[in-house]
Amino acid sequence: MEKNQGFFDPYNFNIPQNNMNMNQQMPNQMASDMSLGLDNIANPAMYYEQQYMYYRYLTQVLEYKIKLREWENMNREQKQSK
């Protein structure tokens, strides 16, 4: 996942949605440029991909911490037995 990739927040109502009539509010050139940008931002597949990548990151961090704690416990037990 790229760091410069936009984040789609489905609960942010400040962004005009695609189904609203933006053509009445903006000139044609500006409205067409704006709609091209919103198609990339308001892509649900991108949002779910970001959420999945975050979930993967969290599970990897948790697995690492669990393995590290197991390794520390194993080393502690070995030192005590010597």
Side-chain angles (χ1 to χ4, degrees):
M1 185 162 92
E2 297 180 15
K3 293 195 181 284
N4 60 0
Q5 184 178 12
F7 174 74
F8 172 65
D9 186 6
Y11 301 108
N12 185 0
F13 298 108
N14 295 327
I15 301 174
Q17 300 298 320
N18 287 340
N19 58 1
M20 298 175 86
N21 277 337
M22 294 187 324
N23 293 334
Q24 295 174 355
Q25 301 168 354
M26 299 180 203
N28 285 340
Q29 180 63 31
M30 189 175 191
S32 65
D33 292 344
M34 186 72 166
S35 66
L36 290 175
L38 284 177
D39 288 340
N40 293 335
I41 293 172
N43 184 359
M46 185 178 70
Y47 172 73
Y48 290 117
E49 180 181 345
Q50 287 178 337
Q51 297 301 314
Y52 174 72
M53 295 300 283
Y54 182 65
Y55 169 78
R56 274 187 50 195
Y57 165 75
L58 286 180
T59 55
Q60 288 174 351
V61 168
L62 286 174
E63 286 179 15
Y64 172 76
K65 288 183 177 185
I66 291 169
K67 295 288 183 185
L68 182 63
R69 188 158 293 165
E70 289 175 355
W71 183 78
E72 289 173 346
N73 288 339
M74 184 180 66
N75 283 341
R76 189 176 319 129
E77 291 171 1
Q78 287 179 353
K79 287 182 181 180
Q80 290 176 354
S81 65
K82 288 183 178 180

